[in-house]
Amino acid sequence: MAAALKWTATGATPSQRYDDVWFFNPTVGWAVNSSGYVQKTTNGGQTWETKFKTPILPGTNRPVYLRCMAWPSEQVGCVGTLTTELRLYRTTDGGEHWNPVTLPAAAPKKVCGLYAVDQSVIYGSGTNDPSDGAAVIKSSDGGNSWIAIDMSTHASNLIDIYFQTRERGWVVGGFSDKAQPTYDDVKPVILFTEDGGETWVDRLKDMRSQFVEGTWGWKIQFLNDRLGFVSLENMTQAFILKTEDGGKTWSKFSVHGNANIEGIGFLDSSTGWVGGWGDEDFASGKSSVTNDGGQSWQNADSIGKFINRFRFFGNPVNLGYAAGRTIYKYAPDVAIEGVAPVAVAAAARAETESTPSYDKQVPIRFQVPAGSERATLHIWNRFGKEMRTLIDEKKPEAGSREMVWDRKDDRGEAVRHGVYIYRVTVDGNAESGVFALR
């Protein structure tokens, strides 16, 4: 009798933000996190090796925030960023070396989604911020060169993208007809093309009245040519969309007991999960499960928290991974064999820890080794927008350090409550964390 499948934490470092995960096969995979690291596992997630550390951009104090990834082959991979000055990295040697890629001027200011159709054709989308405008990028040579497709007439923001063939695909986000839209203004779009991005049709146009402003598409998943799902992000509510006719029509379902969701992953037409921030304060990281195709939902925090991406193997599914507070694995419920039991246990313990929260000033503690050349401390909001460079020191003072953030951005303006991400980088070695402002 086959063992039941169960979600467990892998050996990836917990208490950070993992935005994406990509696996070639059950054992070899990649992840990107809020420390600015590209990491690889060759043993199904038991251990992870950092293969690339994003640098501070030359001539600036700007860090690079990694968001998404796609791998046309095991040798060639692309990673998208939320840093306008450097929006894409590419490797051609299996992740040993990474080089910046120059994108066209009309490319999205931030690359939020990537999808490799095959070894040649890759699509990308962005940005998540409606004030940045929306665009799609396309490569026909494995990511070496790109063209940009202006999407401003179709969308105000774009996040995730998926293509079934070189010509047929979808991109999700939101749209508002206001001149300077914000997150509060948009309603969701699911844009479909069958000519490789030359023309697009909004499959939600006839459903527009069913959505409140401040709702947009976040992640898209297709299990086959006909069955697909989209998560809709809204600060105070949670919805998903489901199609059973190849994306021609969509049905809307409320996810009761959750809000502000992002990741979505279904095994079949009935069983699936959603995860994300969990509430308008971005603090609880709730996950939910359905066993009736989205009609009803129950709490599923036990599978993991703050989940932004699900990926599955098999038909029927016999293995899965998810990216959130750490990297999670959906696999037979058997004793873990091999290496890193301590790391796996630490990741599991982190699931019981709450996000640190502060009413006023925020203390951030870190270590600086003797002889260090440079230390920086940056803070982003949960959308990946850089809020503050708190320190940038050459020849920094060694030892235990504490910096206090006064809850103001680089312009001196007070920031709103919610979750924020920090990263301390000392000579290329980074440590990141998440905290909440009440």
Short mmCIF file of all heavy atoms in Angstrom, two decimals, residues 219-251:
data_model
loop_
_atom_site.label_atom_id
_atom_site.label_comp_id
_atom_site.label_asym_id
_atom_site.label_seq_id
_atom_site.Cartn_x
_atom_site.Cartn_y
_atom_site.Cartn_z
N LYS A 219 -1.37 34.36 -9.12
CA LYS A 219 -0.73 33.16 -9.65
C LYS A 219 -1.71 32.38 -10.51
O LYS A 219 -2.92 32.38 -10.25
CB LYS A 219 -0.22 32.26 -8.51
CG LYS A 219 1.06 32.77 -7.84
CD LYS A 219 2.25 32.65 -8.75
CE LYS A 219 3.55 32.96 -8.02
NZ LYS A 219 3.70 34.39 -7.69
N ILE A 220 -1.18 31.70 -11.53
CA ILE A 220 -1.99 30.90 -12.42
C ILE A 220 -1.40 29.49 -12.50
O ILE A 220 -0.17 29.31 -12.54
CB ILE A 220 -2.10 31.54 -13.82
CG1 ILE A 220 -3.04 30.73 -14.73
CG2 ILE A 220 -0.73 31.74 -14.46
CD1 ILE A 220 -3.42 31.46 -16.00
N GLN A 221 -2.28 28.48 -12.53
CA GLN A 221 -1.86 27.08 -12.63
C GLN A 221 -2.81 26.35 -13.57
O GLN A 221 -4.03 26.47 -13.43
CB GLN A 221 -1.91 26.40 -11.25
CG GLN A 221 -1.56 24.91 -11.28
CD GLN A 221 -2.11 24.14 -10.09
OE1 GLN A 221 -3.04 24.58 -9.42
NE2 GLN A 221 -1.50 22.99 -9.80
N PHE A 222 -2.27 25.63 -14.53
CA PHE A 222 -3.05 24.74 -15.37
C PHE A 222 -2.57 23.32 -15.15
O PHE A 222 -1.37 23.04 -15.19
CB PHE A 222 -2.92 25.10 -16.85
CG PHE A 222 -3.96 26.06 -17.34
CD1 PHE A 222 -3.82 27.42 -17.17
CD2 PHE A 222 -5.11 25.58 -17.97
CE1 PHE A 222 -4.79 28.31 -17.61
CE2 PHE A 222 -6.09 26.46 -18.42
CZ PHE A 222 -5.93 27.83 -18.24
N LEU A 223 -3.52 22.38 -14.92
CA LEU A 223 -3.18 20.98 -14.75
C LEU A 223 -3.17 20.24 -16.08
O LEU A 223 -2.48 19.23 -16.23
CB LEU A 223 -4.15 20.30 -13.79
CG LEU A 223 -3.81 20.42 -12.30
CD1 LEU A 223 -4.01 21.83 -11.80
CD2 LEU A 223 -4.64 19.44 -11.48
N ASN A 224 -3.97 20.72 -17.03
CA ASN A 224 -4.01 20.15 -18.37
C ASN A 224 -4.58 21.20 -19.31
O ASN A 224 -4.70 22.38 -18.93
CB ASN A 224 -4.84 18.86 -18.40
CG ASN A 224 -6.22 19.04 -17.78
OD1 ASN A 224 -6.95 19.97 -18.13
ND2 ASN A 224 -6.59 18.15 -16.87
N ASP A 225 -4.94 20.83 -20.51
CA ASP A 225 -5.40 21.81 -21.49
C ASP A 225 -6.72 22.48 -21.10
O ASP A 225 -7.04 23.55 -21.62
CB ASP A 225 -5.58 21.13 -22.86
CG ASP A 225 -4.25 20.82 -23.52
OD1 ASP A 225 -3.23 21.35 -23.05
OD2 ASP A 225 -4.24 20.03 -24.49
N ARG A 226 -7.47 21.87 -20.19
CA ARG A 226 -8.80 22.40 -19.88
C ARG A 226 -8.94 22.91 -18.45
O ARG A 226 -9.69 23.85 -18.20
CB ARG A 226 -9.87 21.33 -20.13
CG ARG A 226 -9.92 20.86 -21.58
CD ARG A 226 -11.08 19.94 -21.84
NE ARG A 226 -12.37 20.60 -21.65
CZ ARG A 226 -12.94 21.38 -22.56
NH1 ARG A 226 -12.34 21.63 -23.71
NH2 ARG A 226 -14.13 21.93 -22.32
N LEU A 227 -8.21 22.31 -17.50
CA LEU A 227 -8.41 22.62 -16.09
C LEU A 227 -7.36 23.59 -15.57
O LEU A 227 -6.16 23.28 -15.60
CB LEU A 227 -8.38 21.33 -15.27
CG LEU A 227 -8.59 21.45 -13.77
CD1 LEU A 227 -9.96 22.03 -13.46
CD2 LEU A 227 -8.41 20.08 -13.10
N GLY A 228 -7.80 24.75 -15.11
CA GLY A 228 -6.86 25.76 -14.62
C GLY A 228 -7.42 26.55 -13.45
O GLY A 228 -8.64 26.58 -13.21
N PHE A 229 -6.50 27.20 -12.72
CA PHE A 229 -6.87 27.95 -11.52
C PHE A 229 -6.05 29.25 -11.47
O PHE A 229 -4.91 29.30 -11.93
CB PHE A 229 -6.58 27.14 -10.25
CG PHE A 229 -7.30 25.82 -10.20
CD1 PHE A 229 -6.74 24.68 -10.75
CD2 PHE A 229 -8.54 25.74 -9.61
CE1 PHE A 229 -7.40 23.47 -10.70
CE2 PHE A 229 -9.22 24.53 -9.55
CZ PHE A 229 -8.65 23.39 -10.11
N VAL A 230 -6.64 30.28 -10.86
CA VAL A 230 -5.96 31.56 -10.63
C VAL A 230 -6.28 32.01 -9.21
O VAL A 230 -7.44 31.95 -8.77
CB VAL A 230 -6.42 32.63 -11.63
CG1 VAL A 230 -5.90 34.01 -11.23
CG2 VAL A 230 -5.96 32.28 -13.04
N SER A 231 -5.28 32.46 -8.47
CA SER A 231 -5.50 33.08 -7.16
C SER A 231 -5.69 34.58 -7.36
O SER A 231 -5.00 35.20 -8.17
CB SER A 231 -4.33 32.82 -6.22
OG SER A 231 -3.12 33.32 -6.76
N LEU A 232 -6.63 35.16 -6.63
CA LEU A 232 -6.89 36.59 -6.69
C LEU A 232 -6.47 37.22 -5.37
O LEU A 232 -6.93 36.80 -4.30
CB LEU A 232 -8.37 36.86 -6.95
CG LEU A 232 -8.95 36.33 -8.26
CD1 LEU A 232 -10.41 36.75 -8.39
CD2 LEU A 232 -8.14 36.84 -9.45
N GLU A 233 -5.62 38.21 -5.46
CA GLU A 233 -5.17 38.88 -4.25
C GLU A 233 -6.08 40.07 -3.94
O GLU A 233 -6.41 40.86 -4.81
CB GLU A 233 -3.72 39.34 -4.37
CG GLU A 233 -3.21 39.95 -3.07
CD GLU A 233 -1.69 39.93 -2.97
OE1 GLU A 233 -1.03 39.85 -4.01
OE2 GLU A 233 -1.19 40.00 -1.84
N ASN A 234 -6.47 40.14 -2.68
CA ASN A 234 -7.26 41.24 -2.14
C ASN A 234 -6.87 41.35 -0.67
O ASN A 234 -6.76 40.33 0.01
CB ASN A 234 -8.75 40.96 -2.31
CG ASN A 234 -9.63 42.04 -1.71
OD1 ASN A 234 -9.72 42.20 -0.49
ND2 ASN A 234 -10.31 42.78 -2.57
N MET A 235 -6.67 42.55 -0.16
CA MET A 235 -6.13 42.71 1.18
C MET A 235 -7.01 42.10 2.27
O MET A 235 -6.51 41.58 3.26
CB MET A 235 -5.91 44.19 1.50
CG MET A 235 -4.95 44.89 0.56
SD MET A 235 -3.29 44.23 0.65
CE MET A 235 -2.45 45.33 -0.50
N THR A 236 -8.32 42.15 2.11
CA THR A 236 -9.22 41.74 3.18
C THR A 236 -10.06 40.52 2.85
O THR A 236 -10.81 40.04 3.70
CB THR A 236 -10.17 42.90 3.54
OG1 THR A 236 -10.94 43.26 2.39
CG2 THR A 236 -9.38 44.11 4.02
N GLN A 237 -9.99 40.01 1.60
CA GLN A 237 -10.78 38.86 1.20
C GLN A 237 -9.89 37.88 0.44
O GLN A 237 -8.72 38.16 0.17
CB GLN A 237 -11.94 39.31 0.30
CG GLN A 237 -12.84 40.36 0.93
CD GLN A 237 -13.88 40.86 -0.05
OE1 GLN A 237 -14.76 40.11 -0.44
NE2 GLN A 237 -13.80 42.12 -0.44
N ALA A 238 -10.47 36.72 0.09
CA ALA A 238 -9.72 35.73 -0.69
C ALA A 238 -10.66 35.07 -1.69
O ALA A 238 -11.75 34.63 -1.34
CB ALA A 238 -9.10 34.68 0.23
N PHE A 239 -10.19 35.02 -2.95
CA PHE A 239 -10.96 34.41 -4.02
C PHE A 239 -10.03 33.60 -4.92
O PHE A 239 -8.84 33.91 -5.04
CB PHE A 239 -11.65 35.45 -4.91
CG PHE A 239 -12.49 36.44 -4.18
CD1 PHE A 239 -11.99 37.71 -3.88
CD2 PHE A 239 -13.78 36.13 -3.78
CE1 PHE A 239 -12.76 38.63 -3.21
CE2 PHE A 239 -14.57 37.05 -3.11
CZ PHE A 239 -14.06 38.31 -2.83
N ILE A 240 -10.60 32.57 -5.55
CA ILE A 240 -9.89 31.90 -6.64
C ILE A 240 -10.83 31.85 -7.84
O ILE A 240 -12.05 32.01 -7.72
CB ILE A 240 -9.44 30.47 -6.28
CG1 ILE A 240 -10.65 29.53 -6.16
CG2 ILE A 240 -8.60 30.46 -5.01
CD1 ILE A 240 -10.29 28.06 -6.26
N LEU A 241 -10.24 31.61 -9.00
CA LEU A 241 -10.99 31.39 -10.23
C LEU A 241 -10.63 30.01 -10.77
O LEU A 241 -9.49 29.57 -10.65
CB LEU A 241 -10.66 32.46 -11.27
CG LEU A 241 -11.06 33.89 -10.89
CD1 LEU A 241 -10.47 34.88 -11.89
CD2 LEU A 241 -12.57 34.03 -10.83
N LYS A 242 -11.62 29.36 -11.39
CA LYS A 242 -11.42 28.02 -11.91
C LYS A 242 -12.02 27.92 -13.31
O LYS A 242 -13.12 28.43 -13.56
CB LYS A 242 -12.10 27.00 -10.99
CG LYS A 242 -12.02 25.54 -11.43
CD LYS A 242 -12.75 24.66 -10.42
CE LYS A 242 -12.74 23.19 -10.80
NZ LYS A 242 -13.44 22.35 -9.79
N THR A 243 -11.30 27.29 -14.23
CA THR A 243 -11.83 27.02 -15.56
C THR A 243 -11.77 25.53 -15.84
O THR A 243 -10.84 24.83 -15.41
CB THR A 243 -11.04 27.77 -16.65
OG1 THR A 243 -11.63 27.47 -17.94
CG2 THR A 243 -9.58 27.35 -16.68
N GLU A 244 -12.78 25.03 -16.53
CA GLU A 244 -12.80 23.63 -16.95
C GLU A 244 -12.98 23.50 -18.45
O GLU A 244 -13.22 22.40 -18.96
CB GLU A 244 -13.92 22.89 -16.21
CG GLU A 244 -13.70 22.83 -14.70
CD GLU A 244 -14.80 22.09 -13.95
OE1 GLU A 244 -15.86 22.70 -13.72
OE2 GLU A 244 -14.57 20.91 -13.62
N ASP A 245 -12.83 24.64 -19.15
CA ASP A 245 -12.97 24.62 -20.62
C ASP A 245 -11.80 25.30 -21.31
O ASP A 245 -11.94 25.95 -22.33
CB ASP A 245 -14.29 25.26 -21.04
CG ASP A 245 -14.43 26.72 -20.59
OD1 ASP A 245 -13.43 27.28 -20.09
OD2 ASP A 245 -15.52 27.29 -20.76
N GLY A 246 -10.60 25.14 -20.71
CA GLY A 246 -9.41 25.69 -21.33
C GLY A 246 -9.27 27.19 -21.24
O GLY A 246 -8.59 27.80 -22.07
N GLY A 247 -9.91 27.81 -20.25
CA GLY A 247 -9.75 29.24 -20.04
C GLY A 247 -10.76 30.12 -20.75
O GLY A 247 -10.67 31.35 -20.66
N LYS A 248 -11.74 29.52 -21.42
CA LYS A 248 -12.76 30.33 -22.10
C LYS A 248 -13.67 31.01 -21.09
O LYS A 248 -14.01 32.18 -21.24
CB LYS A 248 -13.57 29.45 -23.05
CG LYS A 248 -12.78 28.90 -24.22
CD LYS A 248 -13.65 28.00 -25.10
CE LYS A 248 -12.85 27.42 -26.26
NZ LYS A 248 -13.69 26.52 -27.10
N THR A 249 -14.09 30.26 -20.07
CA THR A 249 -14.93 30.82 -19.01
C THR A 249 -14.35 30.44 -17.65
O THR A 249 -13.65 29.43 -17.52
CB THR A 249 -16.38 30.29 -19.10
OG1 THR A 249 -16.37 28.85 -18.96
CG2 THR A 249 -17.00 30.67 -20.43
N TRP A 250 -14.66 31.27 -16.66
CA TRP A 250 -14.09 31.08 -15.32
C TRP A 250 -15.19 31.21 -14.28
O TRP A 250 -16.11 32.01 -14.42
CB TRP A 250 -13.01 32.12 -15.04
CG TRP A 250 -11.81 31.99 -15.94
CD1 TRP A 250 -11.70 32.45 -17.22
CD2 TRP A 250 -10.59 31.33 -15.64
NE1 TRP A 250 -10.47 32.12 -17.74
CE2 TRP A 250 -9.77 31.43 -16.79
CE3 TRP A 250 -10.09 30.67 -14.51
CZ2 TRP A 250 -8.48 30.89 -16.83
CZ3 TRP A 250 -8.82 30.14 -14.55
CH2 TRP A 250 -8.03 30.26 -15.71
N SER A 251 -15.08 30.42 -13.22
CA SER A 251 -15.99 30.48 -12.08
C SER A 251 -15.23 31.03 -10.88
O SER A 251 -14.06 30.71 -10.66
CB SER A 251 -16.54 29.09 -11.75
OG SER A 251 -17.24 28.55 -12.84
#
